[in-house]
Amino acid sequence: MANDNVTIYLKTTINQAGESEVFEFDTTGEVLIKDGVVFLRYTEVIAGQSQTKVLFKIAGDHARLNRSGEGSTKLAFTEGQRLPAHYQTPAGQMQLETYTTTLSSQFDLTQLSGLANISYELYANDAIVGQYDILLQFSQKSSKLN
């Protein structure tokens, strides 16, 4: 993507059935700011697997996460609220819900940097699937050549 203007660090902690897994991911991406809303776009490439296009949209106390690749996921987050979510698999669509326990973000839009913390519970058919913590950080790419 030619307009990559930030470096991105994403850490996701997943707690399911008493087990905890941590995924960390470093990449570059693009930040757009429109009317105080931050759009962060990047492509997640997992070695030996497919590419997933990811879009975070963060506006004050609301956030959205859209992932599209082999399947697609659309999650919405508002602290203290339970919201419908969509997970499209090759086998069909699953109806999920997110319950957001924490949503906080800090941005320095002049420096194109920021971080967001989102903690949520994921439900399928009213049963909890897992508890997720997302730490998303981004900062302006250095113009220095390494």
Side-chain angles (χ1 to χ4, degrees), residues 77-93:
F77 308 102
T78 301
E79 193 169 316
Q81 288 190 23
R82 199 155 154 168
L83 299 170
H86 302 284
Y87 180 51
Q88 185 70 44
T89 69
Q93 184 162 302

Side-chain angles (χ1 to χ4, degrees), residues 62-75:
H62 304 290
R64 297 183 77 78
L65 168 58
N66 293 351
R67 297 170 55 90
S68 57
E70 283 182 358
S72 70
T73 311
K74 289 187 163 87
L75 303 176

Side-chain angles (χ1 to χ4, degrees), residues 2 5-6 21 25 51 64 69 86 88 92 111 121 130 136:
N5 59 3
V6 290
E21 257 185 303
F25 187 73
Q51 295 190 357
R64 297 183 77 78
H86 302 284
Q88 185 70 44
Q111 295 293 315
E121 296 167 351
L136 176 68

